[in-house]
Amino acid sequence: MKLATLDDGTRDGCLVLVSRDLGAILACDDVAGTLQEALEDWDRVSRLLAAMAERLDHGGAAGARPFDAGAMKAPLPRAWQWLDGSAFSTHGQLMQLAYDLPPVPSDIPLMYQGLSHRFAAGHEDMVFPSAADGIDFEAELAVIVDDVPQGVSPEEALGHIRLVMLVNDWSLRVLGAAEMRTGFGWVQAKPACSAAPVAVTPDELGDRWKDGRVHLPVMVHYQGGRFGEADAGCMDFGFHELIAHAARTRALCAGTIIGSGTISNPAYNVVGSSCIAERRAIEKIERGAPHTPFMQSGEAVRIEVRQRRGSLFGAIDQRVVVAGRD
């Protein structure tokens, strides 16, 4: 099943079903008005939505209309919680080697709690105060859970994953480096994330959903060409393990979003990277200094996952706008 949130002028939008080919939508406000409402009553609501989705996919749903990505918000325009992991060790190792950073633990997931009260739509311009702050994209996958009890095991956590989504975790790298030195974590360096318009249930992935991982490449296009196409299945910790880590000492409420961190592969010289910072780290290691600049006003990035049927989540296709004067 595929779900999206139609922008109806309210903060949380209106929940709609989306056909598998991303060709049509169907309002489902008689079942659940918003995605958050659906997540809080998932066992009941999902059965009703699945029956409606079956009719939509077979052309028998009265009231269906064309899908328009530009009319959609993020699947969850605001969430109770955004917990972002760093589940790809290659990314951390490259950054550590390039900038002589201290080693990080490899036996537990890395995770921070970021801004959750706003997720930008995948088509809207992103406004930043200054290009001097080091504007960077980060292609990630994420999962949305229902209510997760404290102390859940990784095996039990798998059963709490309700939806998978595609995220651009925007970062301001110059500010991030300064904030990391304080030891208090990120605030200014982590503005709102963006999300592709469609969230999907894990069964939509077929055999590409395995071991709490999505075994598909995530394509990043930047500066008119392919920037990266790293396999999201190369996570050192699966989403179920990230959830169990987050829930060790607290319960997670329905609508919590758990991110994978920047997608990165050991074969980065073949598949490329999912953020500029990693490309710069590789350049520093191999050429002595970084050469790829961070994003400037007017530049755009496109992030997408494709299957045989076409785009899985729809695309994140965004332009940077610098509001201040540099």
Side-chain angles (χ1 to χ4, degrees):
M1 182 162 62
K2 296 189 174 186
L3 298 168
T5 294
L6 179 67
D7 188 353
D8 63 354
T10 66
R11 286 188 174 187
D12 297 305
C14 176
L15 180 65
V16 294
L17 281 160
V18 184
S19 62
R20 283 199 171 98
D21 63 0
L22 304 192
I25 63 171
L26 180 66
C28 43
D29 51 309
D30 55 337
V31 175
T34 66
L35 181 54
Q36 182 64 37
E37 289 179 25
L39 290 162
E40 291 174 358
D41 191 15
W42 186 259
D43 288 342
R44 181 187 69 85
V45 168
S46 62
R47 290 193 295 270
L48 300 173
L49 292 177
M52 295 171 66
E54 188 72 16
R55 295 195 297 272
L56 178 62
D57 285 326
H58 290 86
R65 51 180 166 143
F67 172 78
D68 175 9
M72 301 298 150
K73 289 177 170 282
L76 270 179
R78 52 179 177 166
W80 285 107
Q81 192 164 208
W82 160 242
L83 299 171
D84 195 17
S86 182
F88 296 87
S89 62
T90 298
H91 177 72
Q93 290 163 4
L94 287 169
M95 302 301 286
Q96 178 186 335
L97 181 59
Y99 299 106
D100 195 27
L101 301 174
V104 296
S106 60
D107 57 338
I108 59 170
L110 301 177
M111 185 173 287
Y112 76 94
Q113 184 165 342
L115 184 158
S116 62
H117 65 264
R118 178 175 183 259
F119 275 77
H123 60 81
E124 67 179 276
D125 289 349
M126 295 301 294
V127 180
F128 299 105
S130 173
D133 291 337
I135 302 168
D136 197 1
F137 52 82
E138 290 188 56
E140 303 190 13
L141 292 179
V143 296
I144 309 175
V145 299
D146 61 8
D147 288 307
V148 178
Q150 176 184 316
V152 70
S153 69
E155 294 73 25
E156 293 166 335
L158 272 175
H160 291 280
I161 296 172
R162 297 311 184 193
L163 294 164
V164 184
M165 57 190 286
L166 176 65
V167 169
N168 183 359
D169 177 29
W170 289 99
S171 291
L172 302 175
R173 299 297 190 180
V174 174
L175 298 181
E179 287 187 316
M180 284 179 70
R181 289 193 291 271
T182 70
F184 265 55
W186 292 306
V187 176
Q188 294 179 346
K190 286 293 185 179
C193 297
S194 309
V198 178
V200 309
T201 50
D203 61 289
E204 288 288 332
L205 300 165
D207 61 3
R208 298 305 184 111
W209 174 252
K210 185 169 58 177
D211 303 322
R213 296 162 170 83
V214 178
H215 294 267
L216 285 167
V218 176
M219 298 179 292
V220 179
H221 287 264
Y222 176 58
Q223 298 286 53
R226 171 185 174 275
F227 192 87
E229 199 169 345
D231 181 2
C234 291
M235 297 170 73
D236 292 85
F237 297 95
F239 280 112
H240 57 311
E241 294 166 304
L242 296 179
I243 294 166
H245 175 78
R248 181 175 180 269
T249 60
R250 55 177 166 172
L252 307 178
C253 67
T256 296
I257 305 175
I258 309 285
S260 67
T262 305
I263 300 166
S264 182
N265 291 176
Y268 52 82
N269 283 322
V270 176
V271 301
S273 298
S274 300
C275 68
I276 297 172
E278 181 174 299
R279 172 72 64 84
R280 287 169 60 88
I282 294 166
E283 291 168 344
K284 189 172 189 300
I285 293 165
E286 297 182 349
R287 301 165 59 186
H291 297 278
T292 302
F294 291 115
M295 295 185 77
Q296 303 297 311
S297 189
E299 294 182 345
V301 61
R302 181 181 178 92
I303 304 170
E304 192 172 18
V305 177
R306 299 191 68 84
Q307 290 183 301
R308 290 188 300 273
R309 288 192 295 262
S311 185
L312 180 60
F313 304 100
I316 296 172
D317 197 347
Q318 294 186 289
R319 185 173 66 101
V320 162
V321 175
V322 173
R325 295 185 177 182
D326 294 319

